[in-house]
Amino acid sequence: MKESALINGECLDLKDAKISIFDRGFLFGDSIYEVFKTQNSIPLYFDAHWERFLESCRLISLDLPFDKEELFSSVKKIFKFSEIAYQEDIYIRMIFTRGIGLDLDIASASDPSLIIFTKKLPSWNQQFYSRGIKLWLGDVLRNSTRSLSPSIKGGNYLNNILGLTDAKNHQCDDVLFYNHDGLITECSNSNFFVIHDHQIITAPANHGLLKGITRKVLLEEINIDSYEFVEAEIDNALLEQCREAFITSTTRGVMPVGSIRSGAFEKEYYVGSDSVVRVIQKLYEEQVELHLKEFSSLDLSE
């Protein structure tokens, strides 16, 4: 494939793609975005990503001048321009900015911009899937839902960057955020689950997290014998009690957690071949295959 971008309808090689330095997405983070991947040339869970795209626009009062079908046509256009082989799974990022403007007042913004680019899928360290990812519970708190809600998939990621940097400085792979009430929320760009007492638990969105698409699939579409997916409070006591934990995202799928630590806390989690997480991984992969069959009409190569 050739890595490419579509900027307001024009396809370009990625190296030639440019926006104005006065774009509000660049100046203020005044933008929203979605990331999805293709599998067998089908955009995975495109409808769910579109719905979250709409919700992010609503939350920042940004009007969309196009509908889902027009957006899909733009995705198809850049997919073909990128000369992607049928079996080549790729990363697609859609960014929608409020446009050009130096004033914070949104009324001063020019016409908005749609940017879509294609890249090779990120290659996650395979040890994260075998030994599990190492998470750090630090002092950087997740943004409050009353300030900059994590439910907005927006262009300002400083909170996430600072948390991840703190984790790396403590020799961990990613951060696990507390909210302002001392409850667990999510990681820098993935949702977090624990398994305890036949429940598979993730924090509710109002605790301060992004409603991930893979998280949504697990909560709504996966059934596992003797276990129930639930949204509930996760605190330090539950982290101590549970035997297994995992994270989810569009590009990671289901990834086991090997350990969590902070200045005063350290816990190893089970990641064996007979773990519940391995069952969830398999069930999620099977669900993806069913989804691909159901939405084969969305094949971008046709």
Side-chain angles (χ1 to χ4, degrees):
M1 67 170 290
K2 60 179 181 181
E3 297 185 335
S4 310
L6 179 145
I7 301 179
N8 295 326
E10 181 184 3
C11 291
L12 304 157
D13 287 346
L14 201 56
K15 62 181 174 57
D16 298 321
K18 298 177 178 64
I19 61 166
S20 169
I21 61 169
F22 300 118
D23 188 280
R24 294 172 62 93
F26 171 71
L27 289 176
F28 308 130
D30 190 6
S31 63
I32 58 105
Y33 81 98
E34 281 292 324
V35 166
F36 59 89
K37 68 176 184 178
T38 65
Q39 200 159 320
N40 296 342
S41 300
I42 297 170
L44 200 58
Y45 296 108
F46 183 79
D47 286 353
H49 283 284
W50 166 254
E51 291 299 325
R52 192 170 64 181
F53 198 67
L54 287 179
E55 177 67 1
S56 293
C57 283
R58 184 189 69 79
L59 289 170
I60 69 168
S61 302
L62 179 55
D63 295 328
L64 274 178
F66 50 82
D67 59 22
K68 183 174 71 172
E69 286 68 31
E70 290 171 312
L71 179 61
F72 183 79
S73 293
S74 295
V75 171
K76 193 164 188 174
K77 182 177 179 180
I78 190 62
F79 186 90
K80 288 184 176 295
F81 181 83
S82 301
E83 299 174 357
I84 296 159
Y86 176 74
Q87 294 292 340
E88 192 171 12
D89 300 335
I90 65 160
Y91 168 110
I92 297 180
R93 188 182 186 105
M94 309 182 301
I95 306 164
F96 188 55
T97 85
R98 205 181 300 272
I100 292 171
L102 289 169
D103 194 310
L104 287 178
D105 185 353
I106 64 174
S108 68
S110 69
D111 292 336
S113 290
L114 175 66
I115 301 152
I116 305 174
F117 66 80
T118 61
K119 287 181 66 68
K120 293 180 179 179
L121 273 175
S123 178
W124 295 105
N125 186 335
Q126 286 305 302
Q127 286 193 341
F128 292 170
Y129 293 96
S130 57
R131 65 157 165 82
I133 193 168
K134 300 176 182 177
L135 300 181
W136 171 254
L137 268 169
D139 295 327
V140 179
L141 302 182
R142 194 67 175 106
N143 282 335
S144 167
T145 57
R146 296 181 64 186
S147 53
L148 182 61
S149 173
S151 290
I152 302 166
K153 197 165 178 69
N156 188 329
Y157 258 59
L158 268 178
N159 182 219
N160 313 63
I161 291 167
L162 293 174
L164 179 59
T165 301
D166 185 35
K168 295 285 188 178
N169 287 340
H170 288 89
Q171 292 74 53
C172 288
D173 304 312
D174 203 349
V175 63
L176 181 59
F177 284 111
Y178 288 115
N179 65 14
H180 289 262
D181 295 319
L183 300 172
I184 301 299
T185 60
E186 62 180 347
C187 298
S188 64
N189 61 354
S190 59
N191 293 127
F192 176 75
F193 290 75
V194 296
I195 303 172
H196 177 67
D197 196 21
H198 295 279
Q199 289 188 321
I200 304 164
I201 306 164
T202 190
N206 62 9
H207 284 194
L209 55 92
L210 181 71
K211 291 177 279 189
I213 305 303
T214 307
R215 173 185 181 272
K216 175 182 172 70
V217 173
L218 295 188
L219 289 173
E220 297 180 2
E221 301 180 21
I222 302 296
N223 294 307
I224 177 170
D225 290 345
S226 302
Y227 285 86
E228 177 187 15
F229 283 93
V230 298
E231 294 176 284
E233 180 180 297
I234 303 175
D235 58 14
N236 279 9
L238 186 55
L239 291 183
E240 286 277 15
Q241 293 164 5
C242 68
R243 185 170 183 250
E244 298 182 46
F246 63 96
I247 62 173
T248 62
S249 77
T250 290
T251 59
R252 287 179 174 89
V254 175
M255 180 182 286
V257 171
S259 64
I260 300 174
R261 65 183 182 87
S262 67
F265 174 91
E266 185 165 0
K267 174 75 184 285
E268 301 288 326
Y269 295 89
Y270 184 64
V271 295
S273 60
D274 60 342
S275 66
V276 178
V277 173
R278 302 301 180 192
V279 175
I280 296 169
Q281 283 177 320
K282 185 173 183 295
L283 290 172
Y284 173 70
E285 290 164 4
E286 290 173 354
Q287 190 62 37
V288 167
E289 290 301 318
L290 291 173
H291 175 84
L292 294 174
K293 290 177 182 177
E294 182 180 355
F295 290 90
S296 59
S297 61
L298 297 183
D299 191 334
L300 295 169
S301 65
E302 294 180 349

